[in-house]
Amino acid sequence: MKQVAPDKYTIAWFKLAECVSRGERERALGVYRLLAHSIGNPAFESQLEGDLYLSFQDTHTALAKYHEAVKLYRQSGRILEAAAVFEHIVTLDPHTYTHHQQIIELYHQLRLSRKAQEHIARALELMTHSGQDAQLEELLTFLDGLGSEYADYATEILFSQTKI
């Protein structure tokens, strides 16, 4: 692969930022596509593309690109990066139960039980407020498969909610 001069690489990033700040969507995406050839990290490229779409208020396409980035990060064993992108996904689309389930699994893999518990609580709140009993049972089964500490934590939350 031919090396690009560092100053041209920097100029491309500034050009991209300029296009975004002016609201020139198609031009920004064109500059991004040229710049992406020099990045060499497909997961980061998808994440960056998602950021571009989000900057132009195209949340649906941005979410698709973020999901692609998570998939690529996971395939390359970069679980922490996958979890970070999923945090962004959950922020953009907090009412989707499966997002919480997937991020719980990532935090479990990273042995970050406190973060997993945080998302367990969010998922339970989402499900109990929207009456998603089937998904609630599915989540409890999923959590039990990860480890009894998660299932016990979820049961404790559910029990405390019914006492109130």
Side-chain angles (χ1 to χ4, degrees):
M1 185 170 155
K2 185 179 176 185
Q3 289 291 330
V4 177
D7 57 334
K8 289 186 180 182
Y9 188 73
T10 303
I11 291 169
W13 282 104
F14 280 111
K15 190 68 170 169
L16 179 62
E18 182 182 312
C19 293
V20 170
S21 68
R22 289 184 180 170
E24 299 171 336
R25 176 187 166 126
E26 294 310 313
R27 194 164 182 203
L29 291 169
V31 172
Y32 157 75
R33 286 183 189 97
L34 291 172
L35 188 57
H37 293 294
S38 65
I39 294 174
N41 180 339
F44 180 70
E45 291 165 15
S46 291
Q47 183 180 352
L48 177 60
E49 190 173 1
D51 291 341
L52 281 173
Y53 281 109
L54 188 60
S55 73
F56 292 109
Q57 286 76 42
D58 186 349
T59 307
H60 179 73
T61 306
L63 284 169
K65 291 298 175 181
Y66 291 141
H67 280 285
E68 184 180 324
V70 167
K71 178 182 156 201
L72 293 168
Y73 278 132
R74 288 182 87 165
Q75 286 174 348
S76 64
R78 297 170 65 189
I79 305 301
L80 185 60
E81 288 90 341
V85 173
F86 236 113
E87 283 286 356
H88 196 50
I89 291 170
V90 169
T91 301
L92 293 171
D93 188 15
H95 303 296
T96 302
Y97 150 73
T98 55
H99 294 342
H100 294 286
Q101 183 173 336
Q102 291 177 42
I103 200 165
I104 290 165
E105 183 178 7
L106 290 171
Y107 282 132
H108 172 71
Q109 290 174 359
L110 290 167
R111 293 186 171 95
L112 295 173
S113 60
R114 184 63 67 198
K115 291 296 289 180
Q117 289 174 342
E118 181 182 311
H119 284 279
I120 290 168
R122 287 184 189 175
L124 291 173
E125 182 181 343
L126 173 67
M127 288 178 208
T128 55
H129 284 84
S130 59
Q132 298 175 345
D133 295 333
Q135 286 86 356
L136 182 59
E137 190 173 320
E138 182 183 312
L139 178 66
L140 292 173
T141 303
F142 168 76
L143 293 173
D144 196 40
L146 290 180
S148 62
E149 73 173 279
Y150 296 124
D152 292 345
Y153 180 75
T155 303
E156 183 180 308
I157 289 174
L158 289 171
F159 184 71
S160 69
Q161 287 178 349
T162 58
K163 288 178 93 176
I164 297 175

